Amino acid sequence: MTTAKDMLATYPADLGNIDPDKLARCIEACTMCAQACTACADACLSEGMVGDLTKCIRTDMDCADICNTTASVLSRHTGYDANITTALLKACAVACKACGDECASHADMHDHCRLCAEACRTCEEACNELLAALG
């Protein structure tokens, strides 16, 4: 089991029709993506050609913030608001797509960008799968 899945299993009330496996996967993908984006932005700042990586740094930082927020909201179930959850999942998928595309454009020169792009793709997929499961 994973920490997110373990925590979901301890929730004392009914989670409703939410698939706990997809929810846990999404929470963990968001957390991993936020970490990768934060580390990638920091690594970009250490590159000699930092001026060429301005957009990458910005998308990394935006994606990390959105992923952290999404993971936090997905971890709370009391007073659940489907509209907020849906909006955040859509925003997170969009941010991950943008960041993944930007990082992929630098992946041949920077391994941190390659790894970040992979984390973004995984998170985008997890958000879209959870959105589909929510209906």
Side-chain angles (χ1 to χ4, degrees), residues 27-112:
I27 291 168
E28 292 193 347
C30 286
T31 302
M32 297 289 286
C33 189
Q35 188 281 324
C37 290
T38 300
C40 186
D42 184 65
C44 285
L45 288 169
S46 295
E47 295 290 350
M49 51 197 236
V50 69
D52 296 337
L53 297 169
T54 303
K55 184 177 180 188
C56 190
I57 294 164
R58 171 60 191 256
T59 58
D60 279 336
M61 293 170 63
D62 288 349
C63 191
D65 287 345
I66 292 167
C67 285
N68 276 324
T69 299
T70 303
S72 292
V73 170
L74 290 177
S75 296
R76 295 189 291 262
H77 306 286
T78 304
Y80 171 77
D81 186 324
N83 292 325
I84 291 172
T85 300
T86 299
L88 275 172
L89 285 168
K90 288 178 182 177
C92 194
V94 168
C96 288
K97 169 102 173 81
C99 192
D101 289 349
E102 180 61 27
C103 283
S105 73
H106 305 287
D108 58 334
M109 296 186 318
H110 307 293
D111 278 340
H112 54 84

